[in-house]
Amino acid sequence: PPGFVESSCRSRIFWMKLNKLLLQGKFFQLEIYDPYSGPVLLDEKLASRCGYGLSEDMWGNPVFRASVLGCHVANEADELFSLTVNIKVSSFPSMRAAVTYTYPMYCSYTSWASREIVCEENYMEVSVKTDVPAVSNDYTVAWMSALPETQNVAYQQWQLMFVSPSGRKRITVSDAVKLGYSFNNTLSRVYLRAPYHSNESDFSMVSGVNMNMVTSTSMYRQRWLLLLIDTTVSCPVDGISFTDTALTWTVPRVIPTLVVQESTFLSTNIVMGVDDQVIVNPKEKNYLLEHNETHIRVTIPIGADGGKLESSISGGVYGVLYSIDLFLEHTWTDAGWQTTKYTVIKSITTPFLPQIPTVINNTVPEERLFNVALGHFLPDVSLVAIAIGNVPFTPREAQHHGFKIYETPSPNRTKGFILEVSFDDPYVLKEYVNRNETKYTLLVNYTLSVGPEMTLYYHSAEVECVIADIEVPDAVGYCDEENLYLTLPTFGLHQYWDLYLGNKLLNRHLALTNGYLAATNSTHLILQIPLFAGGLIYEEVSFQKIIARFDVALRKVRTMETLQMFSISCTFNSSAFIICHPDGTIMVSAQMKTVPAIDMSKTKLRDSSCKPREYSEAHAFFKFHVTTCGTSVRFEGDHIIYENEISYEKDTLPGQSIPIITRDPDYRLTVLCYYQAKETLVLSAFSSDPAASHSFGSGTMIPRSNTAAYRRVRQALNVVSRVSKDESFMEFYEPNMAIHKQPMKPVFVEVELKDESPSVELYLENCWVARSPDFNSTPRWNITVDG
């Protein structure tokens, strides 16, 4: 087919290349056509013995090379050469139903040197002109040791004498063929072809390079003519070194076994080539060809033109392999030989070179778009899948979702993959940090197909971007005659931050419990806080005015860090009120409207020493603690109720015609404060947690007249409980002190009724110990049951 075969003749070597694209999914074989015996299947043994080589070039195309002195090459006067190759192609490994393409090649070569040596990948070949003088006068040459054997050379028959460390071996040409050698003569030349590492070969170190050497003499006897030809050949087997950036190929400049008189050695030409092309000016391709008295060196940068970079995976690590097919041709003269042309062909592949991909964050925060570059890769790498936040996508699915993925080329013939993801994508992690910033985190896992084997490679990346894109809300407060109001934006509320009243989360339940009204629209939250609702702080209280403050804290949801305090403070005019503080302080502004009017300075509490702090014609202001001024306590359900009363001292009300003597005052105002039992128990014998925050109680005032129909029935009892340190009941623990007792140890409790009424008796029904002051808390340990 057109474009299937490409061939050339370089120096004395046939080159043939097959197009791998036309062999995809197929199998092929090469046959060498012999004009006398027909086609011969090419295998490794035949190749090394007959001067053939089959390999692949840097791009995977099959390459066939053959010496013009090969076994099946037609030779016309050592000038024109032809070789026919059969290319068999089949769709089956067994090569059945194969199609055969016959391809003839021709080569013209006339510039033969006196001696030509070719060091191929799989064989060494030396050819010598037969008109060279047979014997040198230099009797120090190693092959002269073959002279004693010449008496035994067969008449009109070529024989070979091998000299190795194990001794001398003289064999016929047919026996040499059996050992893998090939020997023949043409019109004007004799050649020997030898495999590497044969039994007759030897190794030597020349200028730091290992050389494989076959020392041989070809002998022919006819009548009075005895022809001895030095067919020694020596080729380098190493000399390759690598760095991260270049490879270096070193070949000895002077090879002692090939130069009879080193003092007469003269190097006349050194050229290098890639594939089958001579590189006239190596510097143009960044190659370096240099030589000195001992070495010839070729240095090739990794990735240079003419070679092939190929991606590879080793141990889960991405890297590259660089391969290049080089040849070196060195021509010299010396006294023993007129001219020697020395050609070395070398395919070089670097070891695995790790190339860890880099992730470059090109994100521009103002665009709110992640821009992440992953590279650099060779063209043989493709992206097959990507996972964002552990959610996998094919490239098509990723594009459909809204991600942008595209390749970007680099000047050094590599490429990278660009990924663009919006900050607002649901698969991007978002974290509120600092005061007004968001940390956006993009977690990416790449799956790539690498190299011709399409090995999967995985690479993960984590990219972060912190931007100040959050506006911390600012609250606005105002008041009316009876309420305080707090207005703040709802953006970020409960997502980034929460409102706290003291140490309690200000949620709907707490607002309802404290008597707040909450309303929201699309942008703001409005809190209405009545003047006497829970959670207020009373900065100043008198019968003339109340200065009330409401404080809430804006805290981060995750860390509870306080970002801002919002505070509203307003002054209210209130004629009558009662405030029940968490610490048990009660403040009462009482308004007593009687006819005739009462002298407010003469009002008092149960304890007549407790007088008003301030008063006017119609108001009296009292401030006292629940443990003073004759305040009584009782329990109703889950509430503790403290009661006192404001009364007027006079025995009779002004204006009455007939004085009436009574134990009760003529005017009374009952003051009640209600506390949740689980919040505070001021008179309890066992202390609650001192760090706990307590709530305000709720209060009410009930006026009572002197009319019998409205006479108050006393229900409030003044009961005090204490815990004694021992059975003597002489020393007692201080109130609100934590008491620790071991199990089964006695507890001495005193309960005292301080009511003066003779009609009231005290019966102790139940007494128990619990972990908290909540009357319904469990577990509980009974001290007395049913009295």
Side-chain angles (χ1 to χ4, degrees):
F4 180 39
V5 183
E6 177 184 333
S7 64
S8 65
C9 178
R10 162 67 194 137
S11 185
R12 50 189 296 280
I13 297 175
F14 292 101
W15 297 70
M16 182 181 75
K17 181 188 297 184
L18 305 181
N19 190 335
K20 71 172 184 179
L21 297 177
L22 299 178
L23 291 173
Q24 284 185 346
K26 298 184 182 300
F27 303 89
F28 78 96
Q29 288 180 345
L30 295 184
E31 291 179 340
I32 310 301
Y33 185 77
D34 189 317
Y36 304 102
S37 60
V40 180
L41 182 64
L42 178 65
D43 58 23
E44 290 185 6
K45 289 185 177 181
L46 179 70
S48 63
R49 183 173 60 83
C50 287
Y52 309 135
L54 181 62
S55 60
E56 288 186 353
D57 68 3
M58 301 302 99
W59 311 106
N61 298 300
V63 174
F64 171 75
R65 290 192 298 268
S67 169
V68 295
L69 299 177
C71 298
H72 309 93
V73 175
N75 183 342
E76 295 183 21
D78 287 337
E79 294 182 355
L80 296 176
F81 307 89
S82 62
L83 177 66
T84 300
V85 180
N86 290 335
I87 307 165
K88 302 181 69 175
V89 181
S90 173
S91 299
F92 306 98
S94 62
M95 298 304 295
R96 62 184 177 89
V99 177
T100 301
Y101 303 95
T102 300
Y103 190 80
M105 293 184 289
Y106 303 93
C107 194
S108 174
Y109 186 63
T110 58
S111 56
W112 287 98
S114 301
R115 178 175 61 175
E116 297 208 359
I117 296 174
V118 174
C119 299
E120 250 286 8
E121 292 279 85
N122 58 333
Y123 66 86
M124 302 180 287
E125 180 183 275
V126 55
S127 70
V128 181
K129 278 186 178 181
T130 54
D131 59 356
V132 174
V135 178
S136 169
N137 291 328
D138 185 356
Y139 287 90
T140 63
V141 179
W143 60 266
M144 290 300 295
S145 61
L147 285 176
E149 303 290 335
T150 58
Q151 301 300 320
N152 300 321
V153 173
Y155 185 67
Q156 291 186 338
Q157 183 178 1
W158 285 99
Q159 289 186 323
L160 301 175
M161 174 65 67
F162 293 103
V163 180
S164 66
S166 59
R168 294 191 300 269
K169 180 190 294 185
R170 180 171 54 86
I171 58 175
T172 63
V173 171
S174 59
D175 289 335
V177 170
K178 295 176 183 178
L179 296 176
Y181 295 92
S182 180
F183 177 87
N184 210 341
N185 65 305
T186 64
L187 181 65
S188 59
R189 304 186 73 80
V190 169
Y191 65 85
L192 172 69
R193 193 176 301 113
Y196 286 94
H197 314 297
S198 66
N199 291 334
E200 293 73 33
S201 67
D202 190 16
F203 285 93
S204 64
M205 183 73 70
V206 179
S207 299
V209 179
N210 269 316
M211 307 291 291
N212 192 206
M213 173 179 60
V214 175
T215 303
S216 66
T217 302
S218 302
M219 301 176 291
Y220 184 81
R221 182 180 180 184
Q222 184 176 6
R223 294 184 181 178
W224 60 86
L225 174 66
L226 176 61
L227 184 62
L228 302 178
I229 300 177
D230 182 3
T231 49
T232 295
V233 61
S234 181
C235 290
V237 293
D238 55 19
I240 310 296
S241 61
F242 305 95
T243 67
D244 291 339
T245 58
L247 63 88
T248 301
W249 179 29
T250 303
V251 176
R253 182 169 176 266
V254 180
I255 305 169
T257 55
L258 302 180
V259 179
V260 176
Q261 297 180 25
E262 191 171 335
S263 60
T264 63
F265 175 88
L266 178 64
S267 179
T268 58
N269 190 35
I270 300 175
V271 297
M272 64 164 291
V274 176
D275 294 329
D276 59 345
Q277 300 296 317
V278 173
I279 305 301
V280 178
N281 188 355
K283 290 185 178 179
E284 289 183 354
K285 292 184 174 292
N286 292 324
Y287 302 159
L288 179 62
L289 175 62
E290 55 185 349
H291 56 85
N292 55 26
E293 293 298 320
T294 57
H295 296 91
I296 302 171
R297 253 188 211 98
V298 177
T299 302
I300 309 291
I302 302 296
D305 287 343
K308 179 188 178 184
L309 269 174
E310 182 177 277
S311 297
S312 181
I313 301 296
S314 177
V317 177
Y318 174 79
V320 298
L321 300 172
Y322 179 69
S323 304
I324 190 168
D325 287 337
L326 299 175
F327 71 82
L328 185 69
E329 193 172 272
H330 182 199
T331 304
W332 74 77
T333 62
D334 63 83
W337 300 89
Q338 294 177 359
T339 306
T340 297
K341 183 183 286 186
Y342 187 79
T343 303
V344 186
I345 298 174
K346 195 73 171 177
S347 292
I348 303 174
T349 300
T350 65
F352 177 79
L353 301 173
Q355 302 281 332
I356 306 300
T358 57
V359 176
I360 302 174
N361 184 7
N362 297 318
T363 300
V364 180
E366 292 75 16
E367 298 179 359
R368 295 185 62 80
L369 188 72
F370 280 110
N371 184 298
V372 183
L374 176 67
H376 293 280
F377 297 100
L378 297 180
D380 59 359
V381 176
S382 59
L383 182 67
V384 297
I386 193 169
I388 307 294
N390 295 324
V391 179
F393 298 90
T394 65
R396 183 186 295 272
E397 291 170 342
Q399 298 281 4
H400 181 73
H401 178 79
F403 305 140
K404 288 185 179 180
I405 303 175
Y406 52 92
E407 293 185 4
T408 175
S410 298
N412 60 353
R413 292 178 296 180
T414 61
K415 66 179 180 180
F417 298 96
I418 305 295
L419 171 66
E420 292 183 356
V421 179
S422 169
F423 284 2
D424 302 314
D425 190 273
Y427 297 117
V428 173
L429 302 180
K430 304 168 185 68
E431 181 183 359
Y432 172 47
V433 296
N434 303 323
R435 179 176 176 82
N436 62 336
E437 296 176 329
T438 304
K439 181 171 73 174
Y440 297 92
T441 304
L442 179 66
L443 301 177
V444 189
N445 286 288
Y446 299 88
T447 302
L448 302 111
S449 174
V450 175
E453 294 82 11
M454 302 178 69
T455 306
L456 292 183
Y457 169 68
Y458 306 95
H459 191 86
S460 60
E462 179 175 334
V463 182
E464 294 180 352
C465 185
V466 178
I467 59 174
D469 60 352
I470 294 178
E471 184 178 351
V472 177
D474 197 9
V476 176
Y478 57 94
C479 301
D480 60 17
E481 293 181 355
E482 298 180 349
N483 303 279
L484 298 90
Y485 295 89
L486 181 73
T487 302
L488 74 160
T490 54
F491 169 77
L493 199 59
H494 309 311
Q495 179 184 1
Y496 302 132
W497 42 68
D498 281 318
L499 291 176
Y500 275 80
L501 183 62
N503 289 326
K504 290 186 177 180
L505 176 65
L506 182 53
N507 52 23
R508 186 174 297 275
H509 173 72
L510 182 60
L512 185 63
T513 302
N514 284 359
Y516 308 156
L517 294 178
T520 56
N521 56 26
S522 59
T523 59
H524 285 78
L525 166 70
I526 302 173
L527 271 178
Q528 177 184 331
I529 305 101
L531 173 59
F532 297 109
L536 284 173
I537 299 171
Y538 300 97
E539 297 179 320
E540 183 180 338
V541 179
S542 68
F543 71 93
Q544 296 175 338
K545 64 180 178 180
I546 299 176
I547 301 178
R549 191 179 82 237
F550 182 68
D551 294 337
V552 288
L554 189 71
R555 294 183 179 179
K556 289 185 179 180
V557 171
R558 291 185 59 188
T559 65
M560 297 285 291
E561 176 189 350
T562 299
L563 293 175
Q564 199 159 328
M565 290 294 299
F566 301 132
S567 182
I568 316 166
S569 181
C570 295
T571 302
F572 296 89
N573 295 320
S574 181
S575 58
F577 59 83
I578 178 170
I579 299 174
C580 305
H581 277 270
D583 63 356
T585 300
I586 298 176
M587 291 183 287
V588 182
S589 177
Q591 183 179 20
M592 297 184 181
K593 295 181 179 181
T594 62
V595 179
I598 295 174
D599 183 357
M600 301 303 291
S601 66
K602 295 183 179 181
T603 56
K604 64 179 181 64
L605 297 176
R606 282 179 182 163
D607 184 343
S608 58
S609 65
C610 296
K611 300 291 186 179
R613 298 282 183 97
E614 297 179 69
Y615 57 87
S616 64
E617 291 182 359
H619 293 82
F621 176 70
F622 292 88
K623 181 178 180 182
F624 60 96
H625 194 268
V626 295
T627 59
T628 63
C629 300
T631 307
S632 61
V633 61
R634 73 175 186 270
F635 299 97
E636 285 188 8
D638 59 351
H639 281 83
I640 302 174
I641 304 174
Y642 296 97
E643 180 177 332
N644 210 318
E645 64 183 14
I646 302 171
S647 61
Y648 179 52
E649 281 188 340
K650 286 188 69 67
D651 292 334
T652 61
L653 291 174
Q656 283 188 334
S657 57
I658 304 173
I660 299 174
I661 300 175
T662 175
R663 181 169 176 239
D664 287 336
D666 297 307
Y667 190 90
R668 295 191 302 269
L669 183 67
T670 301
V671 178
L672 299 173
C673 273
Y674 298 81
Y675 290 93
Q676 288 282 340
K678 64 181 180 180
E679 292 291 345
T680 181
L681 183 59
V682 176
L683 296 180
S684 64
F686 299 98
S687 70
S688 59
D689 183 2
S693 60
H694 303 301
S695 300
F696 277 77
S698 59
T700 185
M701 292 181 287
I702 305 173
R704 304 291 185 184
S705 73
N706 194 35
T707 307
Y710 296 99
R711 185 153 301 170
R712 176 175 58 87
V713 178
R714 295 180 182 271
Q715 294 179 355
L717 300 178
N718 192 356
V719 179
V720 177
S721 62
R722 297 186 296 176
V723 178
S724 175
K725 294 185 178 181
D726 54 33
E727 66 272 14
S728 67
F729 289 91
M730 298 297 292
E731 292 187 68
F732 295 88
Y733 291 102
E734 293 293 328
N736 297 327
M737 175 184 292
I739 302 171
H740 301 280
K741 291 289 185 178
Q742 295 294 328
M744 306 306 294
K745 294 293 183 180
V747 178
F748 304 98
V749 181
E750 176 187 270
V751 182
E752 180 182 2
L753 174 64
K754 292 194 174 184
D755 199 294
E756 299 176 356
S757 174
S759 62
V760 178
E761 294 182 357
L762 175 64
Y763 292 93
L764 183 61
E765 183 180 11
N766 296 310
C767 183
W768 67 90
V769 177
R771 288 180 176 173
S772 75
D774 186 352
F775 274 64
N776 298 316
S777 68
T778 56
R780 54 190 269 179
W781 295 268
N782 292 321
I783 298 176
T784 62
V785 179
D786 293 334

